[in-house]
Amino acid sequence: MFWKSFLGKLFFKRKKQQRLPETGNETENNILQENMPSPDPAPAASANLSTDLDANVARITAAYGESADLVVREMETATSPPIKIAVFFIDGLVINLAVTEGVVAPLLAPPAALSAQAKPHPTFFEAANKTLLQIGEVSEAQTFEDIFTGLASGKTAVLIDKNSRALLTGTEGWKERGIEEPATESVVRGPRDSFAERLRGNTALLRLRLKSPRLRIEEFQLGELTKTTVALAYIQGLATDKLLQEVRKRLKRVKIDGILESGYLEEFIEDEPLSPFPQLLRSERPDRVAASLLEGKVAVFTDGTPFVLLVPSFLPEFLSTPEDYYERYFIGSFIRLIRYVAIIISLVLPSVYVAIITFHQEMLPTELILSIASQREGIPFPTFVEAFLLELAFEILREAGLRLPRVIGQAVSIVGVIIIGQAAVQAGLVSQFMLIIVALTAVASFATPVFSLAITMRLLRFVLLILASTLGFFGILAGIYTIFLHLVSLRSFGFPYLKPLGPVMLSDLKDTLVRVPFWAMRTRPRLVAPRDRVRQAEGLKPKPPQHRERDDAKNKGGDGA
Amino acid sequence: MKPLEGGKISPRQLYTLLVLSNLETTTSILPSLTVAIAGRDSWLTILLAIIAALPLGLLAAWLGRRFPRQTLIQYSPKLLGKPLGFLVGVFYVWFFVHITSLVVRETAVGFNLSVLPQTPPIVLIIILVVLSATTARSGIEVIGRLAESSFVLVLFSVLLTLFLPLNFAHFEYLQPVLARGVLPLLPAVLIPLGLLSEFVAANMVIPYLSEPQKAGRTLFFTVLTSGTVILLFTIIIIAVFNQTAQNLTLPPFQLARIISIGNFLERIEVIVLAVWTVVALIKAAFFMWIGMLGPAQLFNLKGYRELAYPLGIIVIVLAILSYDNFAAAVSFYTPQVWGVYSVTVEIGIILLLSALALLRGKKGNTLRTTEN
């Protein structure tokens, strides 16, 4: 008996143990299924409207549950027989005046001519659509899904009894951040407007700059729950079909519950997810987006963010700003060259310093190395540790200053300057030279106009620092070669990322390291199909007037007479 | 069937690739080698080598164009029959793998001699081989782009090392010309000829050219450019160092070391070393690519990229075994050893195959009907 029960227990236990994970899996699966983004809160949202108004109203209110911001107005027209109407909108997303005067008032009191023959079926629906509603944009909706999407984007839904259709009227209007100066891409000379959060306003800013009907805007809805509108903007004829198809294909691949920023999209549509380099340029400046479209690119707008993705993007563009084109070309070119120098400094300067101090002291002039050596006398750490600590402190300081409220942020930077700058040197923790190097690196990294590239450089700087401290110059060289190799093999939407430096394209070099004057920029970059490449007339280079003496003489004669 | 190598390379990329490959070896060791044999007349040996290499370049391009869709590995069995053609292919591939190991070793030695005296060479060799194998894995397209985009930088640094030490140059060291007559020079011609003829690597690339009709022009200008640079280099090295040039290790590095202008433009040898290392990496990657694609075609493999790291191990071993020190390297690069070896493999194969192609009237398919 004992044996049996013991064995039975054992067996039972074992069986239970075997079974448990299975049931566990099942519940997990269930949870997963429940967590999967279901199409909509109401089970059959894609269902069509019925002809029964009360049923429709019940269904919509049920779908929104107890949501306080859904406004339902059920009313009857002043006609005989009265027609039942229901009006839905979401409070805060609509202009109340427009709903009152444009939708509700005309429906309640239809003109006498109409009310005489009014009947609660298609005639009244058509009349409401064609003559009654005093709203610019009116569209028809067949399904609950359409109504939900419309309501959430600020439309007012009008349901009329005995009709299995609804009218969506464009009453949208809400408190919106106005057009402000761009926060991340400021210029000295150039337009000051920047995109805001709402997609329609952003495309409007673009349309104001590109007035040709060839500017096309295509919209998708991505995100199962957020239903974020994503818009492709391009100039028909300049953006190649191949590129457009590729962008559409990659965007349609995205199946996710929500998209709140273009960064979500960026990670889904870029070519090489494992690369530290930003593969898509983002901009909040309408002028920059317009300029990119003129070069045959595609802009991806995401509702809810001012940042627009430019597809495809190339590394040299991350080092250019719109201002390069607004200032005269000497200045633009010079500033751009400075930026190239700055980004190289921000990448390699600390590691070069560490390599020289650790391995190759002979490379510096004797006086300099002696003065560095005397400063380093009392410092307890090797150069690498010194550099690493200081760089880390600086990164922390920068991050702290960035996130704090502006008033406190200044305090942080003062504390940082005093502690890191003065006290650390006096306490003998770091040498003054190291401080100069780190400060120079930091300043240089601020000169990179696109933040995402600056972060990449910050990241790679630490890798190079480690390489430099282990293998000196050879390590730095190996690191830079690897970065170079990676960049050369990287592609952005099928185009080489380092273009026109990667595969060298002589005609595109005119706008890379330097910017040639506009009259010399006759052709668009090699992104565009060859037949559309010419962008301006020939011989636009300005010249002084030909017959100056004669003009002078004429003027003099005129004066005399 | 998918082609082994799907990439395309432009004639300009091939040109920069070949010029860089040529410059790497020629500038690093050649001047001291030729000076050791031909003394102050060694620039004449280079001139002769250029004159000999120019028609050979055109011949190699002609041969490659005759089989526009095939590499040398693929058409040598057609011309020589299967066993012999296979053997020629093996020699051809071996030669480039061997050169890779020499390049890697020279670079490691260069670092040992200059900035990292205490680092064991094997560490440097392993890192260099890993880098170049990774590059080779990315295919000819990436290698071509690397060469193309670093070309201007390399040329700039070459010109820097050529012209900045001019204030130390004594051109009277070049006189008298031909004091011992022409005959003693002739064996010395083999060394630069063997190094310049590395353009036969193009016979593996011609099927992947985007504009194959420009192959001849590309090879011609390759020889002309790299020949001119190495000619100038030799002249300046003799003018600066006179006969001591034969004892120099890494002449460009030594040239850069003596640069001193206005008491501040000094010690720029590290820049030269850095550029030279990048060139060495590109050359090693290019030749490793041949060393990978060649066997893949010889044995009808389905892919060649998988061979990168195994081949890397072979290269590491070869690089360690190749010689003990720089003096031993110099004794390898003599006309009797290196001259005969390189000229046989490079020029011998091209001459043999061209003659057979002409005599047997064989041609490759120009159309895309049979893709190999």
Side-chain angles (χ1 to χ4, degrees), chain A residues 360 362-364 471 474 477 481-482 485 488 491 501 503-504, chain B residues 12 115 124 127 131 135 141 145-146 148-149 267 270 274 277:
Chain A
H360 323 293
E362 76 281 358
M363 278 178 56
L364 291 180
L471 280 164
F474 185 77
L477 210 59
Y481 178 82
T482 313
L485 173 67
V488 160
R491 285 172 170 275
L501 300 169
V504 176
Chain B
R12 190 168 63 210
V115 290
L124 304 176
I127 294 173
L131 288 178
T135 316
E141 210 168 285
R145 272 191 227 154
L146 272 178
E148 194 184 22
S149 28
R267 315 187 198 208
V270 170
T277 311

PDB file of all heavy atoms in Angstrom, chain A residues 360 362-364 471 474 477 481-482 485 488 491 501 503-504, chain B residues 12 115 124 127 131 135 141 145-146 148-149 267 270 274 277:
ATOM      1  N   HIS A 360      52.607  57.065 -27.847  1.00  0.00           N
ATOM      2  CA  HIS A 360      53.458  57.713 -28.850  1.00  0.00           C
ATOM      3  C   HIS A 360      53.864  59.111 -28.422  1.00  0.00           C
ATOM      4  O   HIS A 360      53.597  60.089 -29.108  1.00  0.00           O
ATOM      5  CB  HIS A 360      52.729  57.802 -30.199  1.00  0.00           C
ATOM      6  CG  HIS A 360      51.883  56.612 -30.492  1.00  0.00           C
ATOM      7  ND1 HIS A 360      52.424  55.384 -30.708  1.00  0.00           N
ATOM      8  CD2 HIS A 360      50.553  56.462 -30.590  1.00  0.00           C
ATOM      9  CE1 HIS A 360      51.447  54.521 -30.937  1.00  0.00           C
ATOM     10  NE2 HIS A 360      50.302  55.149 -30.854  1.00  0.00           N
ATOM     11  N   GLU A 362      56.530  60.521 -28.582  1.00  0.00           N
ATOM     12  CA  GLU A 362      57.506  61.156 -29.465  1.00  0.00           C
ATOM     13  C   GLU A 362      56.845  62.021 -30.535  1.00  0.00           C
ATOM     14  O   GLU A 362      57.509  62.800 -31.199  1.00  0.00           O
ATOM     15  CB  GLU A 362      58.404  60.101 -30.113  1.00  0.00           C
ATOM     16  CG  GLU A 362      57.778  59.296 -31.247  1.00  0.00           C
ATOM     17  CD  GLU A 362      56.866  58.187 -30.765  1.00  0.00           C
ATOM     18  OE1 GLU A 362      56.743  58.011 -29.540  1.00  0.00           O
ATOM     19  OE2 GLU A 362      56.261  57.501 -31.606  1.00  0.00           O
ATOM     20  N   MET A 363      55.522  61.867 -30.681  1.00  0.00           N
ATOM     21  CA  MET A 363      54.882  62.600 -31.765  1.00  0.00           C
ATOM     22  C   MET A 363      54.687  64.081 -31.460  1.00  0.00           C
ATOM     23  O   MET A 363      54.523  64.893 -32.355  1.00  0.00           O
ATOM     24  CB  MET A 363      53.523  62.003 -32.075  1.00  0.00           C
ATOM     25  CG  MET A 363      53.608  60.806 -32.961  1.00  0.00           C
ATOM     26  SD  MET A 363      51.989  60.182 -33.189  1.00  0.00           S
ATOM     27  CE  MET A 363      51.194  61.613 -33.821  1.00  0.00           C
ATOM     28  N   LEU A 364      54.671  64.419 -30.201  1.00  0.00           N
ATOM     29  CA  LEU A 364      54.431  65.820 -29.848  1.00  0.00           C
ATOM     30  C   LEU A 364      55.764  66.560 -29.771  1.00  0.00           C
ATOM     31  O   LEU A 364      56.800  65.962 -29.483  1.00  0.00           O
ATOM     32  CB  LEU A 364      53.723  65.905 -28.496  1.00  0.00           C
ATOM     33  CG  LEU A 364      52.292  65.405 -28.453  1.00  0.00           C
ATOM     34  CD1 LEU A 364      51.735  65.559 -27.056  1.00  0.00           C
ATOM     35  CD2 LEU A 364      51.436  66.182 -29.432  1.00  0.00           C
ATOM     36  N   LEU A 471      45.582  49.681 -28.072  1.00  0.00           N
ATOM     37  CA  LEU A 471      46.504  49.487 -29.187  1.00  0.00           C
ATOM     38  C   LEU A 471      47.015  50.794 -29.774  1.00  0.00           C
ATOM     39  O   LEU A 471      47.590  50.796 -30.851  1.00  0.00           O
ATOM     40  CB  LEU A 471      45.811  48.685 -30.295  1.00  0.00           C
ATOM     41  CG  LEU A 471      45.751  47.179 -30.053  1.00  0.00           C
ATOM     42  CD1 LEU A 471      44.738  46.552 -30.954  1.00  0.00           C
ATOM     43  CD2 LEU A 471      47.114  46.561 -30.268  1.00  0.00           C
ATOM     44  N   PHE A 474      47.218  52.245 -33.760  1.00  0.00           N
ATOM     45  CA  PHE A 474      46.736  51.108 -34.540  1.00  0.00           C
ATOM     46  C   PHE A 474      45.281  50.822 -34.204  1.00  0.00           C
ATOM     47  O   PHE A 474      44.458  50.558 -35.086  1.00  0.00           O
ATOM     48  CB  PHE A 474      47.600  49.882 -34.247  1.00  0.00           C
ATOM     49  CG  PHE A 474      47.269  48.704 -35.089  1.00  0.00           C
ATOM     50  CD1 PHE A 474      47.687  48.638 -36.391  1.00  0.00           C
ATOM     51  CD2 PHE A 474      46.506  47.661 -34.571  1.00  0.00           C
ATOM     52  CE1 PHE A 474      47.367  47.556 -37.178  1.00  0.00           C
ATOM     53  CE2 PHE A 474      46.178  46.585 -35.355  1.00  0.00           C
ATOM     54  CZ  PHE A 474      46.619  46.527 -36.665  1.00  0.00           C
ATOM     55  N   LEU A 477      43.082  53.439 -35.743  1.00  0.00           N
ATOM     56  CA  LEU A 477      43.021  53.206 -37.178  1.00  0.00           C
ATOM     57  C   LEU A 477      42.073  52.058 -37.496  1.00  0.00           C
ATOM     58  O   LEU A 477      41.232  52.156 -38.395  1.00  0.00           O
ATOM     59  CB  LEU A 477      44.427  52.868 -37.668  1.00  0.00           C
ATOM     60  CG  LEU A 477      44.744  53.258 -39.087  1.00  0.00           C
ATOM     61  CD1 LEU A 477      44.566  54.735 -39.254  1.00  0.00           C
ATOM     62  CD2 LEU A 477      46.150  52.835 -39.415  1.00  0.00           C
ATOM     63  N   TYR A 481      38.733  52.487 -39.578  1.00  0.00           N
ATOM     64  CA  TYR A 481      38.565  51.686 -40.800  1.00  0.00           C
ATOM     65  C   TYR A 481      37.251  50.903 -40.742  1.00  0.00           C
ATOM     66  O   TYR A 481      36.522  50.819 -41.721  1.00  0.00           O
ATOM     67  CB  TYR A 481      39.754  50.734 -40.972  1.00  0.00           C
ATOM     68  CG  TYR A 481      39.628  49.848 -42.178  1.00  0.00           C
ATOM     69  CD1 TYR A 481      39.970  50.310 -43.438  1.00  0.00           C
ATOM     70  CD2 TYR A 481      39.148  48.549 -42.065  1.00  0.00           C
ATOM     71  CE1 TYR A 481      39.844  49.511 -44.549  1.00  0.00           C
ATOM     72  CE2 TYR A 481      39.014  47.740 -43.164  1.00  0.00           C
ATOM     73  CZ  TYR A 481      39.367  48.229 -44.404  1.00  0.00           C
ATOM     74  OH  TYR A 481      39.226  47.431 -45.503  1.00  0.00           O
ATOM     75  N   THR A 482      36.960  50.343 -39.557  1.00  0.00           N
ATOM     76  CA  THR A 482      35.724  49.570 -39.429  1.00  0.00           C
ATOM     77  C   THR A 482      34.502  50.463 -39.644  1.00  0.00           C
ATOM     78  O   THR A 482      33.547  50.078 -40.334  1.00  0.00           O
ATOM     79  CB  THR A 482      35.644  48.916 -38.039  1.00  0.00           C
ATOM     80  OG1 THR A 482      36.897  48.312 -37.777  1.00  0.00           O
ATOM     81  CG2 THR A 482      34.557  47.890 -37.973  1.00  0.00           C
ATOM     82  N   LEU A 485      34.297  51.174 -43.305  1.00  0.00           N
ATOM     83  CA  LEU A 485      33.795  49.997 -44.027  1.00  0.00           C
ATOM     84  C   LEU A 485      32.284  49.870 -43.849  1.00  0.00           C
ATOM     85  O   LEU A 485      31.540  49.607 -44.804  1.00  0.00           O
ATOM     86  CB  LEU A 485      34.506  48.740 -43.509  1.00  0.00           C
ATOM     87  CG  LEU A 485      33.984  47.414 -44.032  1.00  0.00           C
ATOM     88  CD1 LEU A 485      34.271  47.328 -45.515  1.00  0.00           C
ATOM     89  CD2 LEU A 485      34.666  46.261 -43.321  1.00  0.00           C
ATOM     90  N   VAL A 488      30.495  52.489 -45.877  1.00  0.00           N
ATOM     91  CA  VAL A 488      30.537  52.246 -47.316  1.00  0.00           C
ATOM     92  C   VAL A 488      29.543  51.153 -47.702  1.00  0.00           C
ATOM     93  O   VAL A 488      28.940  51.192 -48.771  1.00  0.00           O
ATOM     94  CB  VAL A 488      31.972  51.881 -47.735  1.00  0.00           C
ATOM     95  CG1 VAL A 488      31.976  51.164 -49.043  1.00  0.00           C
ATOM     96  CG2 VAL A 488      32.812  53.132 -47.846  1.00  0.00           C
ATOM     97  N   ARG A 491      23.288  51.121 -46.746  1.00  0.00           N
ATOM     98  CA  ARG A 491      22.406  51.681 -47.764  1.00  0.00           C
ATOM     99  C   ARG A 491      21.192  52.310 -47.112  1.00  0.00           C
ATOM    100  O   ARG A 491      20.763  51.872 -46.055  1.00  0.00           O
ATOM    101  CB  ARG A 491      21.949  50.586 -48.735  1.00  0.00           C
ATOM    102  CG  ARG A 491      23.031  50.193 -49.688  1.00  0.00           C
ATOM    103  CD  ARG A 491      22.652  48.988 -50.515  1.00  0.00           C
ATOM    104  NE  ARG A 491      23.622  48.810 -51.569  1.00  0.00           N
ATOM    105  CZ  ARG A 491      23.567  49.430 -52.732  1.00  0.00           C
ATOM    106  NH1 ARG A 491      22.569  50.226 -52.999  1.00  0.00           N
ATOM    107  NH2 ARG A 491      24.490  49.245 -53.630  1.00  0.00           N
ATOM    108  N   LEU A 501      30.155  60.369 -51.707  1.00  0.00           N
ATOM    109  CA  LEU A 501      31.544  60.085 -51.371  1.00  0.00           C
ATOM    110  C   LEU A 501      31.814  58.594 -51.435  1.00  0.00           C
ATOM    111  O   LEU A 501      32.938  58.160 -51.600  1.00  0.00           O
ATOM    112  CB  LEU A 501      31.873  60.605 -49.966  1.00  0.00           C
ATOM    113  CG  LEU A 501      31.708  62.096 -49.744  1.00  0.00           C
ATOM    114  CD1 LEU A 501      31.798  62.423 -48.269  1.00  0.00           C
ATOM    115  CD2 LEU A 501      32.785  62.834 -50.494  1.00  0.00           C
ATOM    116  N   PRO A 503      30.288  55.583 -53.445  1.00  0.00           N
ATOM    117  CA  PRO A 503      30.702  55.567 -54.831  1.00  0.00           C
ATOM    118  C   PRO A 503      30.830  57.040 -55.213  1.00  0.00           C
ATOM    119  O   PRO A 503      29.888  57.801 -55.056  1.00  0.00           O
ATOM    120  CB  PRO A 503      29.543  54.905 -55.572  1.00  0.00           C
ATOM    121  CG  PRO A 503      28.436  54.773 -54.600  1.00  0.00           C
ATOM    122  CD  PRO A 503      28.852  55.321 -53.283  1.00  0.00           C
ATOM    123  N   VAL A 504      31.998  57.453 -55.650  1.00  0.00           N
ATOM    124  CA  VAL A 504      32.209  58.868 -55.916  1.00  0.00           C
ATOM    125  C   VAL A 504      31.372  59.278 -57.117  1.00  0.00           C
ATOM    126  O   VAL A 504      31.437  58.656 -58.167  1.00  0.00           O
ATOM    127  CB  VAL A 504      33.692  59.161 -56.174  1.00  0.00           C
ATOM    128  CG1 VAL A 504      33.883  60.615 -56.552  1.00  0.00           C
ATOM    129  CG2 VAL A 504      34.507  58.834 -54.944  1.00  0.00           C
TER     130      VAL A 504
ATOM    131  N   ARG B  12      36.238  53.321 -62.904  1.00  0.00           N
ATOM    132  CA  ARG B  12      37.005  54.213 -62.041  1.00  0.00           C
ATOM    133  C   ARG B  12      37.346  53.540 -60.722  1.00  0.00           C
ATOM    134  O   ARG B  12      38.436  53.710 -60.178  1.00  0.00           O
ATOM    135  CB  ARG B  12      36.195  55.487 -61.791  1.00  0.00           C
ATOM    136  CG  ARG B  12      37.010  56.563 -61.112  1.00  0.00           C
ATOM    137  CD  ARG B  12      36.308  57.883 -61.127  1.00  0.00           C
ATOM    138  NE  ARG B  12      35.071  57.827 -60.377  1.00  0.00           N
ATOM    139  CZ  ARG B  12      34.005  58.572 -60.662  1.00  0.00           C
ATOM    140  NH1 ARG B  12      34.052  59.398 -61.677  1.00  0.00           N
ATOM    141  NH2 ARG B  12      32.913  58.476 -59.950  1.00  0.00           N
ATOM    142  N   VAL B 115      55.670  52.796 -34.387  1.00  0.00           N
ATOM    143  CA  VAL B 115      54.949  53.317 -33.226  1.00  0.00           C
ATOM    144  C   VAL B 115      54.616  52.284 -32.163  1.00  0.00           C
ATOM    145  O   VAL B 115      54.321  52.644 -31.039  1.00  0.00           O
ATOM    146  CB  VAL B 115      53.637  54.032 -33.663  1.00  0.00           C
ATOM    147  CG1 VAL B 115      53.959  55.307 -34.375  1.00  0.00           C
ATOM    148  CG2 VAL B 115      52.781  53.146 -34.488  1.00  0.00           C
ATOM    149  N   LEU B 124      48.876  42.299 -34.193  1.00  0.00           N
ATOM    150  CA  LEU B 124      48.573  43.217 -35.298  1.00  0.00           C
ATOM    151  C   LEU B 124      48.108  42.433 -36.517  1.00  0.00           C
ATOM    152  O   LEU B 124      47.156  42.824 -37.195  1.00  0.00           O
ATOM    153  CB  LEU B 124      49.809  44.043 -35.635  1.00  0.00           C
ATOM    154  CG  LEU B 124      50.407  44.821 -34.467  1.00  0.00           C
ATOM    155  CD1 LEU B 124      51.673  45.533 -34.877  1.00  0.00           C
ATOM    156  CD2 LEU B 124      49.396  45.829 -33.956  1.00  0.00           C
ATOM    157  N   ILE B 127      44.488  41.255 -36.192  1.00  0.00           N
ATOM    158  CA  ILE B 127      43.510  42.336 -36.350  1.00  0.00           C
ATOM    159  C   ILE B 127      43.411  42.754 -37.811  1.00  0.00           C
ATOM    160  O   ILE B 127      42.316  42.922 -38.362  1.00  0.00           O
ATOM    161  CB  ILE B 127      43.891  43.526 -35.454  1.00  0.00           C
ATOM    162  CG1 ILE B 127      43.764  43.124 -33.996  1.00  0.00           C
ATOM    163  CG2 ILE B 127      43.000  44.726 -35.743  1.00  0.00           C
ATOM    164  CD1 ILE B 127      44.257  44.145 -33.029  1.00  0.00           C
ATOM    165  N   LEU B 131      40.069  42.437 -40.180  1.00  0.00           N
ATOM    166  CA  LEU B 131      39.490  43.604 -40.862  1.00  0.00           C
ATOM    167  C   LEU B 131      39.389  43.362 -42.360  1.00  0.00           C
ATOM    168  O   LEU B 131      38.349  43.615 -42.979  1.00  0.00           O
ATOM    169  CB  LEU B 131      40.330  44.852 -40.592  1.00  0.00           C
ATOM    170  CG  LEU B 131      40.241  45.438 -39.187  1.00  0.00           C
ATOM    171  CD1 LEU B 131      41.153  46.628 -39.047  1.00  0.00           C
ATOM    172  CD2 LEU B 131      38.813  45.835 -38.882  1.00  0.00           C
ATOM    173  N   THR B 135      36.118  42.907 -44.809  1.00  0.00           N
ATOM    174  CA  THR B 135      35.914  43.721 -46.001  1.00  0.00           C
ATOM    175  C   THR B 135      35.681  42.829 -47.216  1.00  0.00           C
ATOM    176  O   THR B 135      34.770  43.081 -48.008  1.00  0.00           O
ATOM    177  CB  THR B 135      37.136  44.609 -46.258  1.00  0.00           C
ATOM    178  OG1 THR B 135      37.550  45.170 -45.038  1.00  0.00           O
ATOM    179  CG2 THR B 135      36.816  45.692 -47.249  1.00  0.00           C
ATOM    180  N   GLU B 141      31.959  45.157 -54.662  1.00  0.00           N
ATOM    181  CA  GLU B 141      31.364  46.485 -54.749  1.00  0.00           C
ATOM    182  C   GLU B 141      31.851  47.379 -53.612  1.00  0.00           C
ATOM    183  O   GLU B 141      32.269  48.519 -53.829  1.00  0.00           O
ATOM    184  CB  GLU B 141      29.838  46.342 -54.682  1.00  0.00           C
ATOM    185  CG  GLU B 141      29.089  47.397 -55.430  1.00  0.00           C
ATOM    186  CD  GLU B 141      27.620  47.034 -55.556  1.00  0.00           C
ATOM    187  OE1 GLU B 141      27.313  46.153 -56.369  1.00  0.00           O
ATOM    188  OE2 GLU B 141      26.803  47.627 -54.839  1.00  0.00           O
ATOM    189  N   ARG B 145      34.304  50.678 -53.663  1.00  0.00           N
ATOM    190  CA  ARG B 145      33.907  51.968 -53.104  1.00  0.00           C
ATOM    191  C   ARG B 145      34.904  52.467 -52.078  1.00  0.00           C
ATOM    192  O   ARG B 145      35.205  53.659 -52.010  1.00  0.00           O
ATOM    193  CB  ARG B 145      32.546  51.843 -52.439  1.00  0.00           C
ATOM    194  CG  ARG B 145      31.427  52.071 -53.394  1.00  0.00           C
ATOM    195  CD  ARG B 145      30.160  52.209 -52.608  1.00  0.00           C
ATOM    196  NE  ARG B 145      29.124  51.405 -53.197  1.00  0.00           N
ATOM    197  CZ  ARG B 145      28.095  50.928 -52.518  1.00  0.00           C
ATOM    198  NH1 ARG B 145      28.001  51.151 -51.229  1.00  0.00           N
ATOM    199  NH2 ARG B 145      27.182  50.227 -53.125  1.00  0.00           N
ATOM    200  N   LEU B 146      35.405  51.531 -51.262  1.00  0.00           N
ATOM    201  CA  LEU B 146      36.417  51.910 -50.279  1.00  0.00           C
ATOM    202  C   LEU B 146      37.607  52.539 -50.982  1.00  0.00           C
ATOM    203  O   LEU B 146      38.094  53.602 -50.592  1.00  0.00           O
ATOM    204  CB  LEU B 146      36.896  50.668 -49.526  1.00  0.00           C
ATOM    205  CG  LEU B 146      36.148  50.220 -48.294  1.00  0.00           C
ATOM    206  CD1 LEU B 146      36.762  48.960 -47.768  1.00  0.00           C
ATOM    207  CD2 LEU B 146      36.218  51.295 -47.238  1.00  0.00           C
ATOM    208  N   GLU B 148      37.758  53.818 -53.954  1.00  0.00           N
ATOM    209  CA  GLU B 148      37.427  55.059 -54.649  1.00  0.00           C
ATOM    210  C   GLU B 148      37.366  56.235 -53.687  1.00  0.00           C
ATOM    211  O   GLU B 148      37.884  57.309 -53.968  1.00  0.00           O
ATOM    212  CB  GLU B 148      36.079  54.879 -55.347  1.00  0.00           C
ATOM    213  CG  GLU B 148      35.774  55.934 -56.353  1.00  0.00           C
ATOM    214  CD  GLU B 148      34.400  55.753 -56.920  1.00  0.00           C
ATOM    215  OE1 GLU B 148      33.564  55.110 -56.263  1.00  0.00           O
ATOM    216  OE2 GLU B 148      34.152  56.249 -58.029  1.00  0.00           O
ATOM    217  N   SER B 149      36.737  56.016 -52.528  1.00  0.00           N
ATOM    218  CA  SER B 149      36.564  57.176 -51.664  1.00  0.00           C
ATOM    219  C   SER B 149      37.823  57.508 -50.880  1.00  0.00           C
ATOM    220  O   SER B 149      37.934  58.619 -50.391  1.00  0.00           O
ATOM    221  CB  SER B 149      35.369  57.015 -50.736  1.00  0.00           C
ATOM    222  OG  SER B 149      35.118  55.696 -50.465  1.00  0.00           O
ATOM    223  N   ARG B 267      57.006  65.634 -37.890  1.00  0.00           N
ATOM    224  CA  ARG B 267      56.473  64.400 -37.292  1.00  0.00           C
ATOM    225  C   ARG B 267      55.108  64.042 -37.862  1.00  0.00           C
ATOM    226  O   ARG B 267      54.185  63.682 -37.144  1.00  0.00           O
ATOM    227  CB  ARG B 267      56.375  64.530 -35.773  1.00  0.00           C
ATOM    228  CG  ARG B 267      57.626  65.137 -35.195  1.00  0.00           C
ATOM    229  CD  ARG B 267      57.615  65.106 -33.697  1.00  0.00           C
ATOM    230  NE  ARG B 267      58.605  66.058 -33.179  1.00  0.00           N
ATOM    231  CZ  ARG B 267      59.225  65.916 -32.026  1.00  0.00           C
ATOM    232  NH1 ARG B 267      58.971  64.902 -31.263  1.00  0.00           N
ATOM    233  NH2 ARG B 267      60.099  66.804 -31.636  1.00  0.00           N
ATOM    234  N   VAL B 270      53.042  59.791 -38.868  1.00  0.00           N
ATOM    235  CA  VAL B 270      51.901  58.981 -38.441  1.00  0.00           C
ATOM    236  C   VAL B 270      50.760  59.058 -39.452  1.00  0.00           C
ATOM    237  O   VAL B 270      50.077  58.071 -39.716  1.00  0.00           O
ATOM    238  CB  VAL B 270      51.440  59.424 -37.045  1.00  0.00           C
ATOM    239  CG1 VAL B 270      50.136  58.779 -36.692  1.00  0.00           C
ATOM    240  CG2 VAL B 270      52.479  59.047 -36.033  1.00  0.00           C
ATOM    241  N   ALA B 274      49.166  55.960 -41.263  1.00  0.00           N
ATOM    242  CA  ALA B 274      47.737  55.667 -41.210  1.00  0.00           C
ATOM    243  C   ALA B 274      47.177  55.436 -42.611  1.00  0.00           C
ATOM    244  O   ALA B 274      46.489  54.450 -42.874  1.00  0.00           O
ATOM    245  CB  ALA B 274      46.999  56.817 -40.528  1.00  0.00           C
ATOM    246  N   THR B 277      48.356  52.223 -44.036  1.00  0.00           N
ATOM    247  CA  THR B 277      47.683  51.051 -43.466  1.00  0.00           C
ATOM    248  C   THR B 277      46.313  50.848 -44.095  1.00  0.00           C
ATOM    249  O   THR B 277      45.922  49.718 -44.397  1.00  0.00           O
ATOM    250  CB  THR B 277      47.522  51.223 -41.942  1.00  0.00           C
ATOM    251  OG1 THR B 277      48.772  51.601 -41.416  1.00  0.00           O
ATOM    252  CG2 THR B 277      47.039  49.966 -41.309  1.00  0.00           C
TER     253      THR B 277
END
